[in-house]
């Protein structure tokens, strides 16, 4: 790990943050059910940050049920306010890491590193209490990122009204601990979802001519939908259409009345997002018509894409370079088609989203949402230091204007 990162943390604080992370990892909770997690984070902020504020009480507000916003005082209380966000929820996955601090909640796991994100937000709070930014910094501990609903719930509270800039990051095992992605341009995709119900006419499996078969329709539709990305979207523009669920039928000799398929659409640019949604409806109606089926299409918009603006990305890059060195500020290298509800903040507040290397030496680039995923300890300190310094750089730039 880079020396400039390590130098930010006392031995005691490092131990405390690692203990916090392991405690959160051991007790993962699903979206909007993070009550133990929220309480543990509130306690950690009191225990770790308040002593650094010279006895002043830390101002904290619960938000979105299980979340929490803490206000770290800046040098000038009138200066613009910036925010650092860490998400706190886990996934419905049975952990298979074999870690000594593996989940004790069977079927629930921190498989996306939000245990580290929550802990680095607390770490950033400590660093900003030790060496304040120009203005106040809000530490936002956000629930329910995995279902794409937590950021909107935090925004609806009004607690971030007037915030001048917001920063967040995600662990990434494609990159070694010490490497940081802090660049302008696309960092995450729009994550929309769809469901299509085909309604036909059930019949005996031996007499298909008496039916209007929704299972055959669903099969043809699944194949036809792949033609949208293959034949309608410009090949130089990224897009994904995945059918992930299908439900139909009750017995091996009955053609059912209906079949339902569902899935997700990932896009970066707005025109392609609209094109895929329109084509999905058109193809569904076309297949239904061809096979004498009724059809209902629902298309739900999820978080928009994250596209970092040059100005805010430059603040993050300056902070990252100071901490890990220019050679370790690396390009993303791919187009990330994962979704991230941090995009909801960036619709309203200027900001930037970073990726923080989380692969230990000799480790595998295990993807997030795998039952074997975990973020190496060192990523916690890089994330905390980079986000705290990004907040300082942004705060100084916004105050100077
Ligand atoms: Ni995640």
């Amino acid at each position: 790990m880079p020396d400039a990162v390590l130098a930010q943390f006392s031995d005691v604080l490092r131990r405390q943050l690692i203990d916090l992370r392991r405690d959160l990892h051991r007790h993962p909770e699903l979206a909007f059910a993070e009550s133990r997690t929220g309480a543990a984070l509130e306690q950690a902020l009191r225990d770790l940050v308040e002593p650094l504020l010279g006895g002043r009480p830390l101002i904290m507000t619960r938000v979105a049920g299980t979340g929490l916003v803490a206000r770290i005082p800046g040098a000038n209380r009138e200066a613009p306010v910036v925010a650092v966000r860490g998400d706190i929820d886990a996934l419905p996955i049975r952990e298979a890491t074999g870690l000594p601090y593996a989940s004790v909640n069977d079927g629930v796991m921190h498989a996306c590193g939000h245990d580290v994100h929550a802990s680095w937000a607390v770490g950033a709070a400590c660093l900003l209490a030790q060496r304040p930014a120009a203005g106040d910094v809000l530490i936002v501990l956000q629930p329910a990122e995995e279902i794409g609903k937590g950021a909107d719930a935090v925004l609806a509270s009004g607690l971030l009204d007037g915030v001048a800039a917001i920063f967040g990051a995600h662990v990434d095992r494609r990159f070694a601990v010490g490497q940081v992605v802090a660049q302008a341009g696309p960092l995450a995709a729009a994550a929309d979802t769809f469901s299509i119900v085909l309604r036909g006419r059930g019949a005996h499996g031996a007499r298909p001519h008496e039916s209007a078969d929704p299972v055959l329709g669903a099969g043809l539709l699944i194949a036809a939908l792949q033609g949208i990305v293959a034949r309608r979207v410009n090949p130089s523009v990224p897009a994904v259409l995945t059918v992930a669920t299908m439900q139909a039928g009750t017995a091996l000799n009955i053609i059912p009345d209906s079949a339902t398929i569902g899935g997700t659409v990932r896009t970066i640019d707005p025109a392609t997002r609209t094109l895929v949604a329109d084509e999905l409806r058109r193809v569904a109606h076309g297949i239904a018509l061809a096979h004498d089926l009724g059809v209902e299409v629902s298309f739900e918009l999820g978080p928009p894409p994250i596209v970092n603006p040059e100005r805010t990305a430059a603040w993050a890059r300056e902070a990252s370079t100071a901490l890990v060195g220019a050679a370790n500020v690396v390009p993303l290298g791919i187009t990330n088609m994962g979704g991230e509800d941090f995009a909801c903040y960036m619709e309203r507040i200027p900001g930037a989203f970073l990726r923080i290397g989380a692969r230990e030496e000799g480790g595998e680039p295990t993807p997030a949402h795998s039952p074997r995923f975990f973020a190496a300890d060192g990523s916690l300190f890089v994330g905390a230091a980079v986000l705290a310094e990004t907040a300082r750089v942004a705060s100084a730039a916004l105050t100077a204007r």
Side-chain angles (χ1 to χ4, degrees):
M1 197 181 349
D3 292 343
V5 171
L6 271 188
Q8 309 274 314
F9 302 88
S10 68
D11 289 349
V12 173
L13 181 54
R14 276 167 61 189
R15 193 67 251 163
Q16 287 167 322
L17 289 170
I18 285 181
D19 287 348
L20 171 64
R21 180 278 169 108
R22 294 188 175 182
D23 178 64
L24 297 179
H25 193 95
R26 193 178 285 124
H27 301 282
E29 293 171 305
L30 296 175
F32 285 133
E34 310 92 335
S35 46
R36 184 194 181 280
T37 304
L41 290 166
E42 181 170 350
Q43 194 59 47
L45 284 163
R46 288 220 186 287
D47 293 347
L48 304 191
V49 180
E50 279 190 350
L52 301 170
L53 293 175
R56 277 179 292 173
L58 180 61
I59 300 168
M60 282 192 272
T61 313
R62 298 307 296 245
V63 67
T66 48
L68 172 61
V69 174
R71 192 177 191 101
I72 311 299
N76 171 6
R77 304 299 305 271
E78 307 301 312
V81 175
V82 307
V84 169
R85 173 275 215 169
D87 42 2
I88 69 172
D89 56 323
L91 284 159
I93 295 176
R94 177 163 296 133
E95 181 156 356
T97 59
L99 288 168
Y101 54 93
S103 170
V104 296
N105 296 345
D106 191 31
V108 184
M109 176 192 175
H110 270 297
C112 201
H114 299 188
D115 51 330
V116 172
H117 303 172
S119 303
W120 73 33
V122 173
C126 295
L127 300 183
L128 288 161
Q130 281 171 342
R131 191 155 62 82
D136 289 2
V137 178
L138 300 183
I139 302 296
V140 180
L141 291 159
Q142 179 212 300
E145 192 284 326
E146 292 293 356
I147 59 168
K149 307 251 187 250
D152 277 337
V154 171
L155 285 165
S157 74
L159 284 171
L160 303 194
D161 290 0
V163 166
I166 186 163
F167 300 94
H170 205 292
V171 289
D172 192 332
R173 285 186 62 94
R174 292 193 306 118
F175 302 102
V177 169
Q179 293 183 311
V180 176
V181 177
Q183 68 187 32
L187 261 287
D192 303 329
T193 52
F194 65 89
S195 169
I196 302 172
V197 184
L198 293 170
R199 295 194 195 284
R201 198 168 53 252
H204 196 294
R207 290 186 283 277
H209 58 288
E210 293 173 359
S211 77
D213 184 355
V215 174
L216 176 62
L220 294 165
L221 179 55
I222 290 167
L225 288 174
Q226 296 309 314
I228 297 173
V229 172
R231 284 297 175 269
R232 285 287 171 268
V233 175
N234 183 328
S236 68
V237 175
V240 174
L241 190 162
T242 291
V243 177
T245 64
M246 77 173 292
Q247 287 104 24
T250 54
L252 300 182
N253 58 355
I254 301 172
I255 295 171
D257 279 326
S258 70
T260 303
I261 66 169
T264 185
V265 172
R266 306 301 172 97
T267 51
I268 304 286
D269 84 290
T272 306
R273 193 179 190 189
T274 306
L275 172 83
V276 174
D278 290 349
E279 286 290 313
L280 182 135
R281 285 194 190 87
R282 198 173 67 79
V283 170
H285 281 98
I287 295 280
L289 182 66
H291 293 272
D292 193 20
L293 302 166
V295 63
E296 291 151 36
V297 178
S298 60
F299 194 92
E300 192 182 344
L301 294 179
I306 293 180
V307 182
N308 283 345
E310 183 52 53
R311 186 175 70 118
T312 46
W315 294 334
R317 197 161 51 241
E318 179 185 334
S320 303
T321 305
L323 285 160
V324 302
N328 285 317
V329 181
V330 294
L332 185 59
I334 47 138
T335 305
N336 172 28
M337 300 309 282
E340 166 58 68
D341 82 352
F342 189 81
C344 301
Y345 299 110
M346 286 179 61
E347 280 189 308
R348 299 226 224 140
I349 305 168
F353 196 73
L354 295 80
R355 309 280 301 182
I356 305 290
R359 190 183 72 238
E360 67 283 2
E361 223 175 300
E364 298 290 319
T366 316
H369 296 210
S370 154
R372 281 168 296 283
F373 179 87
F374 69 97
D377 281 338
S379 62
L380 193 174
F381 303 108
V382 177
V386 164
L387 286 169
E389 185 61 12
T390 300
R392 289 192 197 100
V393 171
S395 184
L398 290 161
T399 303
R401 285 198 305 166

